[in-house]
Amino acid sequence: MKFTVTSERPGSVKTGCVILGVFERRTLSSAAAEFDKTTRGLLKKVLKDGDMDGSSGQTVMVHYPAGAKCERVMLVGCGKASEFKTRAYQQAVSSAARAANASGADDALSYLAELEVPGRTSYQKVRTLVEATRSAAYTPDTLKSEKDKSLRPLRSLAIGVDAGDMGSARKALSDGEAIASGVELARLLGDLPGNICTPAYLADQARKLGRSSTKLKVSVMNEAGMEKLGMGSLLSVSRGSRQPAKLITLQYSGGKTGEKPVVLVGKGVTFDSGGISIKPGAAMDEMKYDMCGAASVLGTLKACVAMKLPVNVVGVIPATENLPDGNASKPGDIVTSMSGQTIEVLNTDAEGRLILCDALTYCGKYKPAAVIDIATLTGACVIALGSQAAGLLSNDDELADEILLAGESADDRAWHMPLWDEYQQQLKSNFADMANIGGREAGTITAACFLSRFTKKYRWAHLDIAGVAWKGGDEKGSTGRPVSLLTQFLIDRAAS
Ligand code: BES
Ligand code: MN
Ligand code: ZN
């Protein structure tokens, strides 16, 4: 899909579809009022006839509006003007994108980015419009032999902005497209099944990304290399699998040489059966999404490359399956991590922390400015925060605040949870330095406590994305979160 920005006014442009906002109850936005004038009251008449009242989610299409040059005009309900904030704006642009894709129009011209949204700049509104429109066109049909022919997504979308906003709108457009392509990559990988998206497949995807830029260097360590480094914890998880584990690193050098990198560590469990502590069967297929942290690292690096962002970023992805087998770890087994600390594996289903701890020790070698790990780590996080916010835990409040802010501004939110010392005692083991589970209480926090024992040497934050990385039910599919948050975090760093 091609995006452009324009300062032309509605009514005078030849396009398949002009998209305009309407507020409750039957109040035209200013672009809609302009269009109404050119078409001699057409829109007011449509509203008066009762076709829509401006409630959020509504869309109405009018064909061949007399007096205007477009083939169609679409009115998009924006809800109450007084309640039109970030989320309402996002809902409006998403429903407009869905309706436009279903309309048969090849191209469209949207004026939704001109709507006033408190606290949002023109840059942010245009970017959201681009991201939401691209997102609405994504369908997880790569493995369907017949694609749904009723879907004919827009080929191009022009975005109307004030003449004075053209410069920032153009930047928003290219940033938005870069982020959208990162989000798409993350969704695509997330939605792939475990028999295709294996650790080796993730490594190939990383190598492919590496070929897209001279600034991105990719390397893949095999199990022999991990053995040499003493990654006994990571290797204890892959023991039960026929697919060898991979430790993937991607080094993006967009910033100054010598500038300390931000390291992103993504959990890459390409299928989590639970291992010997096997999971119940219901919805177990969704454990193909247990590599969404890894996918978000790849997506974020893809966006960095596309934006040529002036920062140094390292992506580290421990990739493995977690399966039961005669050779798999058993409850009670004690393993030695790369840090030298020993771990009693009381539950083989708490495997994410076992692979992350060695990856977190490993990434110390980059002398990181900060490390953020991203992981579908605990079911408890889904219970605590649902699908709205990722759980955020950190050993540095300033870093946590930066991440929270990035999440707000990218509309991809996280929520700060405590990492108090008092929780550490839940990880006590009689036989090893620590257990890999901390009991029923505060499961998300004790998982982060476990990781915190491997991140003492640098500023670190942990994002538990178990609730946000994918949707279940009828709408089952990957969301691409938190690529937007992470990319925003890096954009903000590059700017400071
Ligand atoms: N990948 C799961 C976490 C998960 C479960 C994410 C359900 C989303 C939905 C993780 O490896 C896991 O199994 N965690 C266990 C930890 C427990 C054994 C301490 C969990 O949350 O049940
Ligand atoms: Mn598990
Ligand atoms: Zn898992």
Side-chain angles (χ1 to χ4, degrees), residues 338-369:
M338 181 180 173
S339 72
Q341 299 176 92
T342 57
I343 303 160
E344 185 182 15
V345 181
L346 287 174
N347 189 320
T348 65
D349 198 10
E351 85 297 340
R353 60 198 80 181
L354 294 176
I355 69 169
L356 287 169
C357 70
D358 279 344
L360 287 166
T361 302
Y362 177 76
C363 68
K365 77 171 196 169
Y366 295 106
K367 304 267 173 289

Side-chain angles (χ1 to χ4, degrees), residues 267 269 271-274 279 287 290-291 322 348-353 376-378:
K267 173 179 174 183
V269 174
F271 190 79
D272 179 14
S273 71
K279 287 182 182 292
M287 282 298 115
D290 213 17
M291 37 54 73
N322 185 25
T348 65
D349 198 10
E351 85 297 340
R353 60 198 80 181
T376 47
L377 205 62
T378 63

Side-chain angles (χ1 to χ4, degrees), residues 226-249:
M226 299 176 216
E227 195 82 59
K228 253 189 219 151
L229 290 175
M231 297 184 166
S233 186
L234 200 175
L235 287 167
S236 78
V237 176
S238 75
R239 287 174 65 90
S241 159
R242 311 256 171 120
Q243 298 286 340
K246 307 282 173 191
L247 184 68
I248 307 162
T249 55

